[in-house]
Amino acid sequence: MGVRAMVGMSHPELGDLDTLVRRALAEDLHAGDITSLAVVPEGMQARGRVLAKQGLVFCGGPIAVEVMRIVDTRTHVAVLVPERTLVDSGAILAELDGSARALLAAERTMLNLLQRVCGIATLTRRYVDAAQGRCRIVDTRKTTPGLRALERYAVRCGGGFNHRNDLGSGVLIKDNHIRCVGNLAQAVRRARERSSHAHVVQCEVNDITELEQALAAGADAVLLDNMDDEAIATAVAIVAGRVIVEVSGGVTLERIARLAGMGVDVVSVGALTHSAPAVDLSLELDT
Amino acid sequence: MGVRAMVGMSHPELGDLDTLVRRALAEDLHAGDITSLAVVPEGMQARGRVLAKQGLVFCGGPIAVEVMRIVDTRTHVAVLVPERTLVDSGAILAELDGSARALLAAERTMLNLLQRVCGIATLTRRYVDAAQGRCRIVDTRKTTPGLRALERYAVRCGGGFNHRNDLGSGVLIKDNHIRCVGNLAQAVRRARERSSHAHVVQCEVNDITELEQALAAGADAVLLDNMDDEAIATAVAIVAGRVIVEVSGGVTLERIARLAGMGVDVVSVGALTHSAPAVDLSLELDT
Amino acid sequence: MGVRAMVGMSHPELGDLDTLVRRALAEDLHAGDITSLAVVPEGMQARGRVLAKQGLVFCGGPIAVEVMRIVDTRTHVAVLVPERTLVDSGAILAELDGSARALLAAERTMLNLLQRVCGIATLTRRYVDAAQGRCRIVDTRKTTPGLRALERYAVRCGGGFNHRNDLGSGVLIKDNHIRCVGNLAQAVRRARERSSHAHVVQCEVNDITELEQALAAGADAVLLDNMDDEAIATAVAIVAGRVIVEVSGGVTLERIARLAGMGVDVVSVGALTHSAPAVDLSLELDT
Amino acid sequence: MGVRAMVGMSHPELGDLDTLVRRALAEDLHAGDITSLAVVPEGMQARGRVLAKQGLVFCGGPIAVEVMRIVDTRTHVAVLVPERTLVDSGAILAELDGSARALLAAERTMLNLLQRVCGIATLTRRYVDAAQGRCRIVDTRKTTPGLRALERYAVRCGGGFNHRNDLGSGVLIKDNHIRCVGNLAQAVRRARERSSHAHVVQCEVNDITELEQALAAGADAVLLDNMDDEAIATAVAIVAGRVIVEVSGGVTLERIARLAGMGVDVVSVGALTHSAPAVDLSLELDT
Amino acid sequence: MGVRAMVGMSHPELGDLDTLVRRALAEDLHAGDITSLAVVPEGMQARGRVLAKQGLVFCGGPIAVEVMRIVDTRTHVAVLVPERTLVDSGAILAELDGSARALLAAERTMLNLLQRVCGIATLTRRYVDAAQGRCRIVDTRKTTPGLRALERYAVRCGGGFNHRNDLGSGVLIKDNHIRCVGNLAQAVRRARERSSHAHVVQCEVNDITELEQALAAGADAVLLDNMDDEAIATAVAIVAGRVIVEVSGGVTLERIARLAGMGVDVVSVGALTHSAPAVDLSLELDT
Amino acid sequence: MGVRAMVGMSHPELGDLDTLVRRALAEDLHAGDITSLAVVPEGMQARGRVLAKQGLVFCGGPIAVEVMRIVDTRTHVAVLVPERTLVDSGAILAELDGSARALLAAERTMLNLLQRVCGIATLTRRYVDAAQGRCRIVDTRKTTPGLRALERYAVRCGGGFNHRNDLGSGVLIKDNHIRCVGNLAQAVRRARERSSHAHVVQCEVNDITELEQALAAGADAVLLDNMDDEAIATAVAIVAGRVIVEVSGGVTLERIARLAGMGVDVVSVGALTHSAPAVDLSLELDT
């Protein structure tokens, strides 16, 4: 932790950070920072520390760098903790040197972004630890509008995997599709015939009958939705490794170990992104 | 609940919904909806119901309308529940009629937005109920980047009030400002002299000494930060109604009633927006 | 063709047409239309016909509608030809009624968009016809920057299929990846272990040795790159239907039938999108 | 070619490259690059070469620089070939040094842009060579929506000239305008009276009668549209150098020399931008 | 004035009003309208009148319509005065019916736009009247950043003409270009040889010597910059109608008639757009 | 003035300059700079000076820097005059070194921005000087759409203060609100009860009766609108320092001293932003 990790400015896997951060800053700086303008002398330099006020899995260093770069290119940012690191309460995550007004202008936007990605990484890590490497923990498309790329990154930083990114990056036949077609098997067959060879065809099933239909129709993967442990165990036995088995619905931390033990391949958890509590961070300045 | 509330398309207090929803949809529909394209027949019509799968305070009807309008102007949306209504699990919140492909394309984006605003309104309501009308519950600037206008609206729908919107809409002198100036009283005086007459000057204080300095220097409001109940009671007595007293830090649902009883004017709660769990909603289609 | 096909305004599979068309119009109308302003009387009404000046596969009706809607909501547009229809030279594709100035302002932007999508659909249809239903013709990511959604739609309108949309919607291991890892088999194994269960793992191979490595390492699909017919035949025999076989590189219209006959599943053709000649269209006005 | 040409980052004549490239990258990197993320080790450095796989007129060096800058500011780009240079197949156009993941993320977007501008420059050069300096080859407004600035630049790099950029940068009276006004001469007179002194008034004519009307009414330039060689020769003789004579419609490479020989000033060719085949380029990495 | 002029929603000559108005509204409604939210009952309907508080040339009706459409599509707007009309103080320019909160949210943005365009039209009209039809009054590129299209429209509404719109829509050689080339005649010749046939070549001259050089080198138009009346008269005599003569610099209302009398073709006035005082307008509501 | 003031690139109080300047440049450089392209040799270097052609209060140095940075990052800009300085005609405000084409491309956009902010600062200074420190001069929301942040900055540079930034940053009850509610006192009471504790409640009054109602209802500040001097004197006496007294309407430079002498706290002047004449600036190049 005493070693400064250099963090560059460009991170394709985080999407267009420049645009996202500019938009976030615009919410808070629409009319400038009138407190600093009145109170803090023009040109005053300061040093700031981003502190963890609780144990957490850190990620988002490049976000902190980007926020400061956009507010004031002359600020120096040193991210002290590598991405994906579990730190204790009190850890200094980053140090900032620059204009006091710039640090204060950037503070809330930076923390709002970091507290969310670290919150997601921290919650994901708990699920991943519970799975003990016996099944994958994956996210869902239940992400915060506007922040999907960051939230999926945070899931990976917590040791999770990503599900398909969007409606165009994988075929997943759900109840509503089946109701439209009238028949699970036909839905799977239509998907096989009409979707790209570049995509997996996965089908949501609610019981063993549907599972057998999905397998017979040629699904590459199944999603056992809201099934109880017993039904899941039966399903895993029927599948017998021929296709990927994903479980979702009603997944708690407590249940993960049990699911992992049954031979499920993947457990998807919407709460990773839609309900992860923010972690507690603060920025403290010296002048 | 059986009466259809007409919801119009324009809601200045929700900000530029058109832009926000377009951006949210772009995340999910970047490459179209390949499942529906393959599985659901072109031109098929469907009816959908948005359901509450838990008790919740509903809000965001105009958001649902806007999402559907942008995906397909020909969809008919009827929001069945007025904004700010507490509903039980199972309630039908809205009905949608239109192209099945359009409903499926819009589904996740609509639910991701609604589950968040309803989640915030629902959590806020719990705090507001605990305060029993004896003090205000207000939000903070700890909002989700990109969604501040919606989240502040959701807080109001839950019965809460908003704090200043951004760094330019109110003067709030915090620890970091005081460290820059070196002296709380001078910070307040500079704010008085140099900020607009159109703004309240509020000052964060950590103890009774600071409180007295802030009052002497002419603050219009004080923010008692992370003080215990005893100190807060003393502070309220000292202020004696001359300025607004806000409390923040370590505020739990349990503590609200106590704070309200002490004569505190305002309690601000970051968790309303940064850690409200999403509520559970679903969209069910018939054809 | 004598029957008017109603075309609605919202087409999720075409992406955010509103934004795209607005941007296209801005290129041409940055400073207004000075010729019409000077020459055409204010308020004059006109009727226009979009004509095919060559045989072509038509698509893009919703684009025409959207261009006119943005230029002048009061224009009436009737698209006369259903999407995906093969028409002869001279066919009237659409009729427009509205302000003469609006029609003239929209003309070039509308035609520039239509001539491209129809050009792609028309070229794709020739490849698809050559394949006689024995293999799929698919596009590549070699699309025009800014127009990918429209171009992929045009490929589908010509009877082709789409490959993965973007770098995040499928795993395709190519020469450059293998050079980075140093070893094809290891690249495939890393992809299997580290990418989402929601994605196919496809691997490009240059010869039979690489093909066998890819199969052994567990690829879901292979891409035979720039191999001659003899090698392709051998490859198809080795694969024996276990995984998808795609061919790319040096694919001409003449060679398609031969490839289709060999049992190849998919032939990808970059030229569909990067080099399809525009079709010849015109707009003719009456007043 | 062995000398490295420094290419700077700012090129007003290419328009707002930052915005254009960001938009292009967003199409391909919407969900990150999942193949590289899985397969290529984090932090691995690589060197890449952009190669011409056919003879071509090179242009777009600043585009390559800008794409890499936006993906990863730490990449070093050396463009080895000056703009407007004719190179042989096999030429190394540029060298890139940086993170392997960044080079792979940028690859397709960079090549999609370069293959188009080089394609246009290469085709333009063929027309320009055919004209042997005896008449100008100019583009039209039949450009790719979103890419007009780049395509016009490419035409100039091939030795061509640009026609007016947009509907606001020159007066060009066409058939549709004349139909609105009912009379060619009146259209030209209205243009003369009502348009800015800063603009040329050009008029499209279809035969000798119209030509004479246009001249009598005071046109600054005429556009002979779809006229045969004989009529064009007559027209040139009638004009006798008093105004600019432009020819368009049915212009093939073979016909250029003939037109140039007749004394035509300008030949405009829509195909330069709407139908130029992409050139064949590749990016090859070493690590 | 008693007759309601219907005003449509789409006006190509005003540019992308939707985007411009959305941006303007965002400045004022960033955090909603907290006064109306607190004070005005939800759902209250009101009627408003836009009043001229001084004599003025009205224009911008479509802007008022667009502002209200974006704030609340349910508002009815009737523009009572045709574009380009001179009205007296007290005239009712438009009537609005709709939600009181929507009218109040739109008020300032609407008036800020209208007061500027009417201000420009009103000032332009004074110059045009002074010229008594003997020379053209034209604007310059000294416009307000972001509002050029509207301001040029306002100039036309006042009876003025527009100069070139931007640096790409006309060739105008100025002092700085000549200093770069070292020689006026060479600058004009380079422009003739290298710029598009679709553009006028105009050259700024400071005295009679330069005028003669410009004419000899083939300029299509000259701009007499900051020359006194005597020199202008000489220049007009020398030019003798061969090319357009524009005068700029030090042009006051008083001097216009004199310049017009000398035979100058065009007088350009930067103040039309950069220093026109706003006109006085107000919105008055009834409920 | 002989000392070079370093000007950095990031200025939170000016808002998102990058976006604003890019948009402004796009208006002028939409189709490139065809004059420079034709006339000025590629690669030519030049030095430019921005000159004051009249006495003025300078501000906007960071704007000049940002315009040049976006047009060409290789340009060197030295702003020679500190913000807020009063300079004489002839002063050199900034020096620029870089590509001649880049300087010419940036010239008009830079000057259009500077002439406006300096114009506002210069006019504000005249009002501030007239007030002799006895009352504050403040701006209004009557700003140019798109430029509010810059214009408010310019007011501060001229020695003025800002009023609330937007409809969400302060409560100001005006005539139209009172007409909606029917009663001034009730409007003030509703505002007190329902708006945030973080906002001042100010109320516009037209006469002494209304003033007394506003005071009784608990307004924090009053705005005396269009009252004559006598009434204002009475109002100041009645208020007797209990709340802020602002005067607006019919405020001329001549009247300021008188108002200041009466004990008014704040005088707001719409003309500062909506009708300040542009100052006269020029850019002169050497090569």
Side-chain angles (χ1 to χ4, degrees), chain E residues 52-74:
Chain E
K53 313 272 292 253
Q54 65 171 85
L56 54 86
V57 175
F58 177 70
C59 64
I63 298 170
V65 171
E66 188 74 359
V67 172
M68 282 312 324
R69 182 187 70 79
I70 292 177
V71 172
D72 190 337
T73 51
R74 294 161 301 178

Side-chain angles (χ1 to χ4, degrees), chain F residues 88-134:
Chain F
D88 293 327
S89 182
I92 303 178
L93 303 170
E95 289 180 352
L96 318 170
D97 285 271
S99 140
R101 287 185 177 177
L103 299 189
L104 289 161
E107 173 183 1
R108 181 53 29 223
T109 301
M110 182 191 292
L111 297 184
N112 282 355
L113 285 162
L114 290 182
Q115 75 192 10
R116 173 167 297 272
V117 289
C118 295
I120 290 171
T122 301
L123 181 61
T124 301
R125 179 75 155 256
R126 295 180 63 199
Y127 279 87
V128 168
D129 286 348
Q132 296 180 284
R134 300 173 69 190

Side-chain angles (χ1 to χ4, degrees), chain C residues 11-277:
Chain C
H11 297 268
E13 64 178 324
L14 293 180
D16 187 352
L17 265 189
D18 180 86
T19 298
L20 184 142
V21 169
R22 240 170 242 285
R23 189 154 61 221
L25 286 165
E27 283 189 327
D28 211 30
L29 290 170
H30 176 65
D33 176 356
I34 57 175
T35 307
S36 298
L37 199 63
V39 170
V40 177
E42 196 173 353
M44 171 178 279
Q45 297 298 298
R47 164 167 295 210
R49 286 174 307 281
V50 180
L51 297 173
K53 311 273 292 252
Q54 65 171 84
L56 55 85
V57 175
F58 177 70
C59 65
I63 299 170
V65 171
E66 188 73 359
V67 172
M68 281 313 323
R69 181 186 71 79
I70 292 175
V71 171
D72 190 337
T73 52
R74 295 161 300 178
T75 311
H76 181 257
V77 180
V79 178
L80 303 186
V81 175
E83 301 289 288
R84 298 185 283 276
T85 308
L86 180 65
V87 302
D88 292 327
S89 182
I92 302 178
L93 303 170
E95 288 181 353
L96 318 170
D97 284 272
S99 138
R101 286 186 178 176
L103 300 189
L104 289 162
E107 173 182 2
R108 179 55 30 225
T109 301
M110 183 192 292
L111 297 184
N112 282 355
L113 285 162
L114 290 181
Q115 74 192 11
R116 173 169 298 272
V117 288
C118 295
I120 290 172
T122 303
L123 181 62
T124 302
R125 178 75 156 256
R126 294 180 64 200
Y127 278 87
V128 169
D129 287 347
Q132 296 180 284
R134 300 174 70 190
C135 71
R136 288 181 173 193
I137 301 300
V138 311
D139 56 19
T140 66
R141 285 167 40 250
K142 297 181 177 177
T143 56
T144 308
L147 300 180
R148 186 169 285 177
L150 296 195
E151 294 187 345
R152 285 163 56 89
Y153 171 75
V155 165
R156 295 197 297 275
C157 287
F161 284 77
N162 298 133
H163 211 304
R164 62 177 177 161
N165 182 72
D166 54 71
L167 286 170
S169 62
V171 175
L172 177 46
I173 300 165
K174 308 185 87 167
D175 275 11
N176 280 334
H177 299 100
I178 295 168
R179 283 196 207 103
C180 289
V181 181
N183 180 298
L184 184 149
Q186 193 184 344
V188 174
R189 278 194 302 266
R190 284 175 70 97
R192 281 256 77 100
E193 280 159 26
R194 304 183 54 185
S195 68
S196 172
H197 73 283
H199 292 304
V200 164
V201 172
Q202 180 168 14
C203 185
E204 183 179 300
V205 301
N206 294 295
D207 56 35
I208 299 300
T209 309
E210 289 186 1
L211 172 65
E212 287 174 335
Q213 291 172 342
L215 293 173
D220 297 311
V222 291
L223 168 54
L224 312 183
D225 191 41
N226 284 315
M227 287 169 54
D228 62 24
D229 287 0
E230 191 178 355
I232 290 171
T234 306
V236 171
I238 288 170
V239 170
R242 287 174 294 165
V243 302
I244 296 285
V245 176
E246 174 183 347
V247 164
S248 80
V251 175
T252 57
L253 263 175
E254 294 66 38
R255 198 179 166 208
I256 288 287
R258 217 156 59 235
L259 291 170
M262 283 179 199
V264 164
D265 300 298
V266 172
V267 177
S268 55
V269 184
L272 297 183
T273 51
H274 68 56
S275 297

Side-chain angles (χ1 to χ4, degrees), chain A residues 132-186:
Chain A
Q132 297 179 286
R134 299 173 71 191
C135 71
R136 288 182 172 190
I137 301 299
V138 311
D139 56 20
T140 66
R141 284 166 41 249
K142 296 181 178 178
T143 56
T144 308
L147 299 180
R148 186 169 286 177
L150 296 195
E151 294 187 346
R152 284 163 56 89
Y153 172 75
V155 166
R156 296 196 298 274
C157 287
F161 284 76
N162 299 133
H163 211 303
R164 61 176 179 163
N165 182 72
D166 54 71
L167 286 170
S169 61
V171 174
L172 177 47
I173 300 166
K174 308 186 86 167
D175 275 11
N176 280 334
H177 299 99
I178 295 167
R179 283 196 208 105
C180 289
V181 181
N183 180 299
L184 185 149
Q186 193 184 344

Side-chain angles (χ1 to χ4, degrees), chain A residues 1-286:
Chain A
M1 196 120 36
V3 184
R4 295 201 174 204
M6 271 304 295
V7 176
M9 287 167 62
S10 300
H11 297 267
E13 64 177 325
L14 294 180
D16 187 352
L17 265 189
D18 180 86
T19 298
L20 183 142
V21 169
R22 240 170 242 286
R23 189 155 60 223
L25 285 165
E27 282 189 328
D28 211 30
L29 290 170
H30 176 67
D33 176 355
I34 57 175
T35 307
S36 297
L37 199 63
V39 170
V40 177
E42 196 173 355
M44 171 178 280
Q45 298 298 298
R47 163 169 296 211
R49 286 173 308 283
V50 180
L51 296 174
K53 311 271 293 251
Q54 65 171 83
L56 56 85
V57 175
F58 177 70
C59 65
I63 299 170
V65 171
E66 189 73 359
V67 172
M68 282 313 323
R69 182 186 72 79
I70 291 175
V71 172
D72 189 338
T73 53
R74 295 160 301 178
T75 311
H76 181 258
V77 180
V79 178
L80 303 186
V81 175
E83 301 289 286
R84 299 186 282 277
T85 308
L86 180 64
V87 301
D88 293 327
S89 181
I92 302 177
L93 303 170
E95 289 180 354
L96 318 170
D97 285 271
S99 137
R101 286 185 179 178
L103 299 188
L104 288 161
E107 173 182 1
R108 180 53 31 222
T109 301
M110 182 192 292
L111 296 184
N112 282 355
L113 285 162
L114 290 181
Q115 75 193 9
R116 173 168 296 273
V117 289
C118 295
I120 290 172
T122 301
L123 181 62
T124 302
R125 178 75 155 256
R126 294 180 63 200
Y127 279 87
V128 168
D129 287 347
Q132 297 179 286
R134 299 173 71 191
C135 71
R136 288 182 172 190
I137 301 299
V138 311
D139 56 20
T140 66
R141 284 166 41 249
K142 296 181 178 178
T143 56
T144 308
L147 299 180
R148 186 169 286 177
L150 296 195
E151 294 187 346
R152 284 163 56 89
Y153 172 75
V155 166
R156 296 196 298 274
C157 287
F161 284 76
N162 299 133
H163 211 303
R164 61 176 179 163
N165 182 72
D166 54 71
L167 286 170
S169 61
V171 174
L172 177 47
I173 300 166
K174 308 186 86 167
D175 275 11
N176 280 334
H177 299 99
I178 295 167
R179 283 196 208 105
C180 289
V181 181
N183 180 299
L184 185 149
Q186 193 184 344
V188 174
R189 277 193 303 268
R190 284 174 71 98
R192 281 256 78 99
E193 280 159 26
R194 303 182 57 185
S195 68
S196 172
H197 73 283
H199 293 304
V200 164
V201 172
Q202 182 168 11
C203 185
E204 183 179 301
V205 300
N206 294 296
D207 56 34
I208 299 300
T209 310
E210 287 186 1
L211 172 65
E212 287 173 336
Q213 291 172 341
L215 293 173
D220 297 311
V222 290
L223 168 54
L224 312 183
D225 191 39
N226 284 315
M227 286 169 55
D228 62 23
D229 288 1
E230 189 177 358
I232 291 171
T234 307
V236 170
I238 288 169
V239 171
R242 285 175 295 165
V243 302
I244 297 284
V245 176
E246 174 181 347
V247 164
S248 80
V251 175
T252 57
L253 263 175
E254 295 65 37
R255 198 177 166 211
I256 288 288
R258 214 155 61 235
L259 292 170
M262 285 179 197
V264 164
D265 300 300
V266 172
V267 178
S268 54
V269 185
L272 297 184
T273 51
H274 68 56
S275 297
V279 298
D280 193 3
L281 304 175
S282 73
L283 174 68
E284 293 187 356
L285 294 197
D286 301 319

